Amino acid sequence: MADLINKILSKKIELHEESKFSSNLDQIDANFGRFNISIMGIGGAGCNAISHMIKTEKWDDNVKFWAINTDIGALRKINRLCNTLLIGIDECKGGGSGGNPKIGEMSAESAEKELINSLTGTNLLFLVSGMGKGTGSGSTPIIAKIAKSMNIPTISILNMPSVTAEGRNIYDVATQSYKKIIEKVDSVCVINNDNIINNSSIDISLVTAFYNANDEIKNIVSSIVKMINTTTTINIDFNDIVNFFKSTKYFTFLPIVLPNSKYNTQNLYEKINETIANSYCDININNAQSIVANIDVSNNASYKILKDIKRIFVKLSHNINLWSINGINYHDNNDENIYLNILVASKEGKNEYLNLNELNDIENDLVNNQFISKIKNDNANLKEKEQKNNDGIETINFLNDQKIENNENLHNVLDSNQCIEYITSAIKDTIGNKNENSSSNPN
């Protein structure tokens, strides 16, 4: 009997080995379904960001980097790392835009043919640039417009300047360019320098601040690219990502690591809140419309995590109709951590960035009311010094760098860091109140 069974089994195996399955995959090119992703760094900040990305991460072959600038010297520093395109040859003569966004705009317009050639064949485009000066602010809206005319899904990652640390003129240029860009791209993520300042240690160096901003951009782009390029057990495909970005205007990225041994709903909830609070990105989580969660866990992780992620973001967004899609990958059981890379999309940004007139109104209000009151309350232990015309002490108004004469309201002598801290806090409070009054959240 045993011999008979073995003969039957062996016969079946022979038949199985001799048979062929029907498939058309042999007729399809090996690169079919491999989507071309272009990452363009525009202007000084954008080129620095992609230089950091290339140097600190290994990228798949379907990812192409471009450095776009009006400054030939800056491009020569990066031309051995990626593709480069000098724009504004006639307008700037290779010397940069001089911080003038109009020159940046004209430079991109005059290089339209070259930009079209560089974008040809692109299936997904990332535009990375800093706002507030010339090339990034002026050229990015034009490049976004060209990409839109070519029907290329486009994601913009912008670095917005600090309201108080970088000056009102730079801030105003940034806000005007930002408004132009969001009209042209599918979705935008804002890395805010105020968030970097406020969410970092007080003695953070300038080098570290720039590194942190570039690293945040790298992590965002890298996570999206890996979602597209990596086939997982439960897969997030290319069109999932494209539809996610086309369905909204604003998004943020939340990277979360939690030990599997400490996993429960409350711990995950607290970790997500902590990540949101410390994020460099701007987004109003109360207006979240959808999420994409890429989950990397060991084989013994609880299935409950899928339900918990959805419930937590429904609670945070007050949106029972929150749309979500999950990808799941299993890693070696020796790694007991749970890794979550979550994209959160909203139809409204965290801040409606103020124009220069609105900013002036807030600053005047601060000087006359909130600012002086806050200084007095927070500095009760400081010795008050009355300022008189003949006492030889000059008081500096840090709001507009003008000397104050005969100011009877300002009694405390503060350093510029304290002033910046108070102004930033009050401006954010005012913006927050403005947003709360102009929008309502579903219960």
Side-chain angles (χ1 to χ4, degrees), residues 42-43 68-70 87-88 92 97 100-109 111 115 127 129-131 133-146 177 181:
I42 306 162
I68 315 291
N69 212 336
T70 55
I87 61 174
C92 305
S97 62
N100 187 337
K102 186 62 180 176
I103 297 297
E105 180 181 326
M106 293 168 57
S107 297
E109 289 174 340
L115 288 166
L127 300 179
S129 52
M131 297 288 95
K133 294 188 178 180
T135 306
S137 298
S139 298
T140 304
I142 302 303
I143 297 173
K145 180 181 177 181
I146 293 170
S177 298
I181 291 167

Side-chain angles (χ1 to χ4, degrees), residues 141-402:
I142 302 303
I143 297 173
K145 180 181 177 181
I146 293 170
K148 185 175 183 179
S149 71
M150 298 173 69
N151 295 317
I152 300 172
T154 303
I155 303 162
S156 185
I157 302 177
L158 306 177
N159 187 202
M160 287 291 285
S162 166
V163 176
T164 51
E166 298 175 70
R168 291 183 295 171
N169 290 337
I170 287 179
Y171 179 80
D172 193 46
V173 169
T175 58
Q176 297 307 313
S177 298
Y178 166 83
K179 291 174 182 177
K180 293 178 182 178
I181 291 167
I182 60 175
E183 294 175 355
K184 303 294 189 299
V185 300
D186 292 291
S187 194
V188 63
C189 178
V190 173
I191 309 295
N192 194 316
N193 283 353
D194 274 327
N195 291 343
I196 295 174
I197 294 170
N198 295 333
N199 294 335
S200 303
S201 61
I202 193 169
D203 57 348
I204 185 174
S205 69
L206 195 60
V207 171
T208 302
F210 285 137
Y211 183 94
N212 289 348
N214 290 336
D215 215 45
E216 183 83 350
I217 294 170
K218 179 198 74 174
N219 291 337
I220 294 168
V221 177
S222 174
S223 294
I224 296 169
V225 169
K226 286 176 180 176
M227 287 182 192
I228 294 170
N229 284 349
T230 305
T231 302
T232 56
T233 305
I234 298 179
N235 197 42
I236 298 172
D237 60 40
F238 176 78
N239 286 319
D240 287 330
I241 296 295
V242 170
N243 291 338
F244 171 82
F245 287 117
K246 282 184 173 293
S247 68
T248 187
K249 270 296 178 185
Y250 307 90
F251 78 97
T252 193
F253 168 67
L254 302 175
I256 296 161
V257 180
L258 188 66
N260 191 35
S261 60
K262 295 184 178 180
Y263 179 79
N264 59 52
T265 305
Q266 184 61 31
N267 284 348
L268 180 60
Y269 179 73
E270 291 174 0
K271 191 66 176 179
I272 289 173
N273 271 295
E274 177 188 334
T275 305
I276 292 170
N278 294 321
S279 175
Y280 294 158
C281 301
D282 274 351
I283 193 171
N284 189 344
I285 198 72
N286 292 327
N287 291 311
Q289 301 293 314
S290 56
I291 62 170
V292 172
N294 197 33
I295 307 164
D296 196 344
V297 295
S298 61
N299 291 331
N300 58 1
S302 171
Y303 188 77
K304 187 172 177 285
I305 190 171
L306 293 174
K307 182 178 180 181
D308 285 345
I309 291 172
K310 179 68 177 285
R311 288 175 60 194
I312 288 170
F313 278 96
V314 166
K315 179 177 180 178
L316 292 173
S317 65
H318 309 290
N319 180 9
I320 60 173
N321 296 316
L322 182 82
W323 176 76
S324 66
I325 186 167
N326 299 311
I328 300 179
N329 186 52
Y330 296 103
H331 58 244
D332 194 300
N333 281 332
N334 291 328
D335 186 347
E336 286 295 322
N337 285 328
I338 297 171
Y339 301 93
L340 304 177
N341 288 323
I342 302 176
L343 298 172
V344 184
S346 173
K347 291 185 178 179
E348 295 181 19
K350 180 177 179 181
N351 296 330
E352 290 296 330
Y353 296 102
L354 302 176
N355 61 38
L356 193 57
N357 290 331
E358 291 173 314
L359 187 58
N360 283 332
D361 290 342
I362 290 175
E363 290 181 346
N364 290 333
D365 184 54
L366 289 172
V367 172
N368 295 327
N369 299 294
Q370 302 174 36
F371 186 47
I372 302 303
S373 174
K374 191 173 181 69
I375 290 174
K376 288 182 177 180
N377 291 335
D378 291 353
N379 292 272
N381 295 327
L382 270 180
K383 181 179 178 181
E384 292 188 357
K385 298 181 180 181
E386 291 291 330
Q387 305 302 305
K388 299 180 180 179
N389 291 334
N390 60 356
D391 64 2
I393 299 176
E394 293 179 333
T395 303
I396 303 299
N397 175 1
F398 294 100
L399 297 177
N400 55 21
D401 294 330
Q402 299 294 320

Side-chain angles (χ1 to χ4, degrees), residues 416-436:
S416 59
N417 288 332
Q418 286 173 298
C419 286
I420 288 172
E421 178 184 344
Y422 293 134
I423 295 169
T424 302
S425 175
I427 288 175
K428 287 189 173 183
D429 288 344
T430 303
I431 296 172
N433 292 334
K434 179 182 176 183
N435 288 338
E436 287 178 7

